[in-house]
Amino acid sequence: RIGVAVWEWLLGATNLGARLMAGISWAWDWTIESRLGLFSPVPRPPSPIAITAQTVSKTKADELSHEPHRLWIKFIEDRLSSVRHSDKAQLDIIQTMLHRAVSNPHALSVQPSSLGARFH
C-alpha cells in the first residue's frame, strides 16, 4: 500500500509519468515471468467444480499472496482513468501490461483467493 501511495504521489507531483510507468510495467512483467501472486502456478482441477485436497488445504499465505496484485490492479485502473485522454505513452504502457497479463489465460492462478483480484 505504501508503494502504491508513493507511485501515486510521484505521478501526481512530477512529470516522470511514462518513465515511472515503464518501471512499474517491468516489475509487472517480472511477476508474470516469476509466476508470483496472481500468476502463481497451481495445478488446475479436471473440472471447475472439482474440490481437491490442494484446494481445501489453503493457508493464510495463499490468501495474502494475491493482495499485492489486487492493489496493483486498482492502481492501474485509477491510472487508466487519469491518462486515457491525456497521455498516450502511459496509456500504451498500461495496454501492454494488461495484454501481457491476459495473453496466456492458463498462467493466471486458479486459487479461490485470486478471484477478488481477477474480477475486481
Side-chain angles (χ1 to χ4, degrees), residues 54-74:
Q54 188 168 8
T55 304
V56 174
S57 65
K58 179 170 68 169
T59 66
K60 187 68 172 169
D62 292 335
E63 291 177 13
L64 295 176
S65 68
H66 299 95
E67 180 67 12
H69 275 106
R70 189 187 65 72
L71 294 171
W72 215 339
I73 290 168
K74 177 68 174 133

Side-chain angles (χ1 to χ4, degrees), residues 99-117:
H99 180 265
R100 178 95 165 91
V102 298
S103 64
N104 181 4
H106 295 288
L108 289 170
S109 175
V110 295
Q111 291 180 352
S113 60
S114 74
L115 293 177

Side-chain angles (χ1 to χ4, degrees), residues 22-50:
I24 292 169
S25 177
W26 176 86
W28 179 266
D29 286 346
W30 179 80
T31 66
I32 294 170
E33 292 167 6
S34 301
R35 305 291 312 264
L36 298 173
L38 192 56
F39 306 101
S40 62
V42 174
R44 294 178 181 271
S47 164
I49 58 172

